[in-house]
Amino acid sequence: MGEQTVQLDGLDARLIALLGTEPRIGVLELSRRLAVARGTVQARLDKLIARGAIKGFGPEVVPAAIGFGVTSFVTLEIRQRYGHDAVAGHLADIPEVLEAHTITGSGDILCRIVARANADLQRVIDQIVGYEGIVRAHTIIALAELIPYRTAPLVQSSYNAK
Amino acid sequence: MGEQTVQLDGLDARLIALLGTEPRIGVLELSRRLAVARGTVQARLDKLIARGAIKGFGPEVVPAAIGFGVTSFVTLEIRQRYGHDAVAGHLADIPEVLEAHTITGSGDILCRIVARANADLQRVIDQIVGYEGIVRAHTIIALAELIPYRTAPLVQSSYNAK
DNA sequence: ATCTGTGCTGGTCAACCTGTGCAATCCGTA
DNA sequence: TACGGATTGCACAGGTTGACCAGCACAGAT
C-alpha cells in the first residue's frame, strides 16, 4: 500500500506549491487561497498523504546551520559476500550518513555524508571504512550547492491538466 | 544572517525529533509531550527558524509516488569558460533535476535526477547535455534506497548535553 | 433517459488551539 | 548580591479544526 503512483491534477499541484511556500498555513486559509471549499482541501490532503505522495511535514533541518558545513558524496566498494544489508546497517549507525543508495557502475553504494569540517570528514570516513565489509571509499566533496533540493518544479510539470 | 551555526541543546533536539515523528502536531501538544511551557516551545521554534537551523515544514513530496520511480546521480563535466552559474541556470530549468552541487575530483557538477523510467531518463539526460556548456555526463542509477534521507540521528548526536 | 457513485460546495456546531501580553520565578554570571 | 536572559503559569479574544449534513454537478453504467 502506498507504493503505487498517483496522478496529480492542477488542484493537487497548486495545493502542494502553496504548502511549499507557506508551510505553517492552515486548511482553512488554504481553501481561501485556492478558492475551493475547506472540505475539498482536507479531502485532497488526506488522499495525497494516504497514497504516499506526501511523506510528511517534518521540520527540514539544515545540517550546515547546526555545524555540519561540509557535505560529501562517498562511493563505497563493498565485499560482496557481506551483502548490502549488513553494510547498510553499519552505515545507519553513523549519524553523519544522511542517505545511502545502491548504485550501478563502479562502486556499490553511494552515500551522502556531512561533517563539521574537512578534518572531521576524515574521522567519519575512517569510521565508515573501519567496517570489514567495506573495501574502499571514494570521496567527492561538494563545494557549493548550485540547486538546493527541490521538488516544486517536478510537481508543477507532472500533472496532466484537466 | 542565518548562515551562522547554532548550538542545539537537549530540548531543541527533542523538539525536532518529536516534530519529525508527528509533524502535524500543535505547539500546545508539543509543550505537553516535552513537559515544558507552551511559550518555551514557541520561543525555541521561533529561534530555530530565525537562525536557519530549520528551513521549513514543506510537504515532503515523494517523487517515486507521483510517477518518477527512477533516481540517478549524474556527474557533469562542463566547459569551464561557460562558468558554473550558466550551467546551473540551465539545470534549474529542468524539473527532473532535484539538486545540483559543484564538486571536487573528476567531474565538475553532481546532480540528482529523477525520471519516470529508464527510457525517460535518457530523455532528461539528452536535455541536460544538449546545452553547449556541458561536455559530458556520467550517469549512475540508484537501484535501491538503503537509507532514505534523514537528519534525525544527526540532530541527536549534535547537541552538547546540558 | 434514468440511475448511481463520486467529488465539490457551503453551512453549522462544539471543542480546541493560536498569538499575545504579563507578572513571577529561576539560574548562571559579573 | 545584582543583573539579564530564559522559563513558567495564566488569561483573553479570535481563529481554526474536525465532524457532519444536504444540495448539486458530472461521468459512466443501465
Side-chain angles (χ1 to χ4, degrees), chain A:
Chain A
M1 53 223 69
E3 246 342 292
Q4 56 196 315
T5 71
V6 185
Q7 185 57 261
L8 305 181
D9 71 1
L11 182 56
D12 291 318
R14 285 195 300 144
L15 180 57
I16 293 173
L18 196 48
L19 265 175
T21 55
E22 314 206 27
R24 278 320 239 191
I25 208 177
V27 175
L28 184 54
E29 183 63 22
L30 279 171
S31 71
R32 281 194 282 255
R33 307 266 187 104
L34 297 173
V36 295
R38 186 168 63 112
T40 305
V41 173
Q42 276 167 327
R44 292 300 188 106
L45 262 186
D46 289 347
K47 199 193 307 174
L48 287 172
I49 294 171
R51 300 202 180 157
I54 295 179
K55 187 172 43 171
F57 299 83
E60 295 164 34
V61 176
V62 180
I66 59 172
F68 295 85
V70 177
T71 297
S72 69
F73 294 91
V74 178
T75 305
L76 303 177
E77 192 179 320
I78 73 172
R79 240 179 277 277
Q80 304 284 355
R81 66 185 172 82
Y82 278 79
H84 291 106
D85 290 342
V87 177
H90 170 242
L91 293 175
D93 288 341
I94 303 174
E96 287 88 352
V97 176
L98 299 193
E99 59 180 325
H101 305 258
T102 57
I103 55 173
T104 61
S106 67
D108 302 295
I109 292 175
L110 175 62
C111 48
R112 176 195 295 244
I113 313 284
V114 293
R116 296 184 178 278
N118 285 340
D120 190 44
L121 179 59
Q122 184 62 58
R123 175 188 61 79
V124 177
I125 291 173
D126 286 346
Q127 198 175 343
I128 291 174
V129 298
Y131 181 70
E132 50 192 341
I134 295 175
V135 178
R136 190 179 9 258
H138 280 240
T139 305
I140 291 172
I141 295 182
L143 301 174
E145 202 169 36
L146 294 180
I147 301 177
Y149 185 78
R150 61 174 193 180
T151 50
L154 192 68
V155 170
Q156 290 307 313
S157 76
S158 77
Y159 74 88
N160 55 353
K162 161 92 140 314

Side-chain angles (χ1 to χ4, degrees), chain A residues 5-6 52-53 55-56 58 60-62 65 92 94 97-104 112 141 143-144 146-147 149-150, chain B residues 5-6 52-53 55-56 58 60-62 65 92 94 97-104 110 112 141 143-144 146-147 149-150:
Chain A
T5 71
V6 185
K55 187 172 43 171
E60 295 164 34
V61 176
V62 180
I94 303 174
V97 176
L98 299 193
E99 59 180 325
H101 305 258
T102 57
I103 55 173
T104 61
R112 176 195 295 244
I141 295 182
L143 301 174
L146 294 180
I147 301 177
Y149 185 78
R150 61 174 193 180
Chain B
T5 69
V6 185
K55 188 172 41 174
E60 294 164 34
V61 176
V62 181
I94 303 174
V97 176
L98 299 193
E99 59 179 326
H101 305 259
T102 57
I103 55 173
T104 62
L110 174 62
R112 175 195 295 244
I141 295 182
L143 302 174
L146 293 181
I147 301 177
Y149 185 79
R150 61 175 193 178

